Amino acid sequence: MVSTTDARGITRLSKVDPNDGKNPRDTKTFLLLSGPNHNLFGERDPKQYGTTTLAEIEEGLAAVAAELGYKIVCAQTNSEGEMVDLIHYARCLGGVVMNPGAYAHYSYALHDAIDAVTVPVVEVHISNVYAREAFRHKSVTAPAVAGYIAGCGILGYELGLRVAIQRVKEQEEVAAKP
Ligand SMILES: O=C1C[C@@](O)(C(=O)O)C[C@@H](O)[C@@H]1O
């Protein structure tokens, strides 16, 4: 795994080993997982996605996480297989706030990866996908996720983190029941 922390304290992961997901779970840390073409946020189709860059989204979410007493680590990849690896890796974290991008619309591999893990994965789309082209109206990943947010702009990431945190609390409550 490659883990780098920039001057603003944002930790980014790449080349993760999916088997590292077997490590003890750190439920105070969540993965912000960004999908294909999201490295171009800020310049890509600003009518749909605004002008905020991915680095700014990551910084904003890190600040929200810190306020809530949590941490995030970030990963962005254009590759479907790497997204699968990152979801497997996240078994050792609290959960995942994931914008799968276009993979949401057709990746059964991503659906199965989410389905295979017990950590909550919350799906976020910045734009209102239902007001766009027909191919964006279907998410094949949505049936497997712990929460789904679309059309709320970048606020969706904060909402997604709050939902993921809530889902972990619910898991802990269930586990604590005699
Ligand atoms: O990459 C993206 C971004 C998106 O996930 C969103 O955040 O609105 C919507 C997807 O349809 C698109 O492929």
Side-chain angles (χ1 to χ4, degrees), residues 8 13 19 43 96 109 153 168 171:
R8 296 185 178 231
L13 307 180
N19 289 317
E43 60 181 272
V96 186
V168 172
Q171 284 181 333

Side-chain angles (χ1 to χ4, degrees), residues 110-126:
L110 222 47
H111 169 279
D112 284 355
I114 299 162
D115 209 34
V117 301
T118 54
V119 296
V121 178
V122 178
E123 178 168 341
V124 173
H125 296 281
I126 295 174

Side-chain angles (χ1 to χ4, degrees), residues 35-38 41 44 48-49 99-105 124-129 132-133 135-136 151 157:
N37 304 304
H38 296 185
F41 281 156
R44 172 190 177 200
Q48 293 298 344
Y49 306 121
N99 185 339
Y103 288 136
H105 310 310
V124 173
H125 296 281
I126 295 174
S127 64
N128 179 357
V129 282
R132 302 181 62 192
E133 304 96 315
F135 78 86
R136 295 185 207 274
Y157 290 97

Side-chain angles (χ1 to χ4, degrees), residues 7 16 36 51 63 68 78 83 90 94 109 123:
V16 297
T51 53
L68 298 172
N78 294 322
M83 289 193 82
E123 178 168 341

